Amino acid sequence: MIRSLYCFFLGMLVLSGCAPSHILHYREDVSRDFTTISFSANRAPYYHRSQVGGEHMSFVQVLGFEGAVFRIELILEVGNVDCSIYGEGVVVESDPAGDNTQIVTVVDGEVLFSVGLSAYPYGEYTLKISNL
């Protein structure tokens, strides 16, 4: 009985401090990682810290709806990481507020646009995606 109560209260403490995840789906292949995210359950910025290099690439796919605006910020830690944003139904513009920052506006219905990250020979980065 005491053990059951302890587990219940411990679970309540852990769950009360956790926000819903942005991640809808994750798939890892030999040299590619694919993460699909949404901001419908969590409006806080999404952070993705990882490393890429050689043939290995990471892709973050963002689900967006018409009128949504996203800020994509690449924070370089080691090396030189390339960031490409592509997809149909979006307009991508450079953010004058900072280097390595793009503004993505969804202009057509619902879309799934991709942020592709690669480096040669190696790079470490943090990707920050904010729903404005």
Side-chain angles (χ1 to χ4, degrees), residues 59-97:
F59 296 92
V60 177
Q61 300 167 317
V62 182
L63 177 63
F65 299 93
E66 189 170 351
V69 179
F70 300 94
R71 176 180 286 124
I72 314 294
E73 182 179 355
L74 179 64
I75 303 157
L76 300 174
E77 296 173 14
V78 175
N80 189 18
V81 177
D82 293 320
C83 178
S84 300
I85 301 170
Y86 52 93
E88 293 185 22
V90 296
V91 174
V92 181
E93 302 171 312
S94 293
D95 186 357

Side-chain angles (χ1 to χ4, degrees), residues 4 10 28-29 45 47-48 64 67 69 74 79-80 86 99 104 123-124 132:
S4 296
L10 181 62
E28 186 175 336
D29 287 338
Y47 290 90
H48 178 77
V69 179
L74 179 64
N80 189 18
Y86 52 93
D99 293 338
V104 177
E124 294 180 15
L132 304 178

Side-chain angles (χ1 to χ4, degrees), residues 9-131:
F9 285 117
L10 181 62
M12 292 301 290
L13 285 173
V14 170
L15 290 176
S16 65
C18 295
S21 175
H22 292 93
I23 298 175
L24 297 174
H25 187 261
Y26 177 77
R27 186 180 85 220
E28 186 175 336
D29 287 338
V30 174
S31 61
R32 305 285 188 268
D33 296 332
F34 299 92
T35 306
T36 304
I37 66 168
S38 170
F39 285 88
S40 61
N42 187 347
R43 299 283 297 174
Y46 170 75
Y47 290 90
H48 178 77
R49 184 167 191 217
S50 191
Q51 54 195 9
V52 291
E55 292 183 14
H56 183 82
M57 296 177 68
S58 290
F59 296 92
V60 177
Q61 300 167 317
V62 182
L63 177 63
F65 299 93
E66 189 170 351
V69 179
F70 300 94
R71 176 180 286 124
I72 314 294
E73 182 179 355
L74 179 64
I75 303 157
L76 300 174
E77 296 173 14
V78 175
N80 189 18
V81 177
D82 293 320
C83 178
S84 300
I85 301 170
Y86 52 93
E88 293 185 22
V90 296
V91 174
V92 181
E93 302 171 312
S94 293
D95 186 357
D99 293 338
N100 296 326
T101 304
Q102 305 286 322
I103 300 294
V104 177
T105 304
V106 179
V107 295
D108 188 26
E110 63 182 55
V111 300
L112 192 63
F113 68 90
S114 293
V115 180
L117 301 141
S118 62
Y120 187 80
Y122 174 80
E124 294 180 15
Y125 65 91
T126 299
L127 179 68
K128 178 183 176 185
I129 302 176
S130 304
N131 188 354

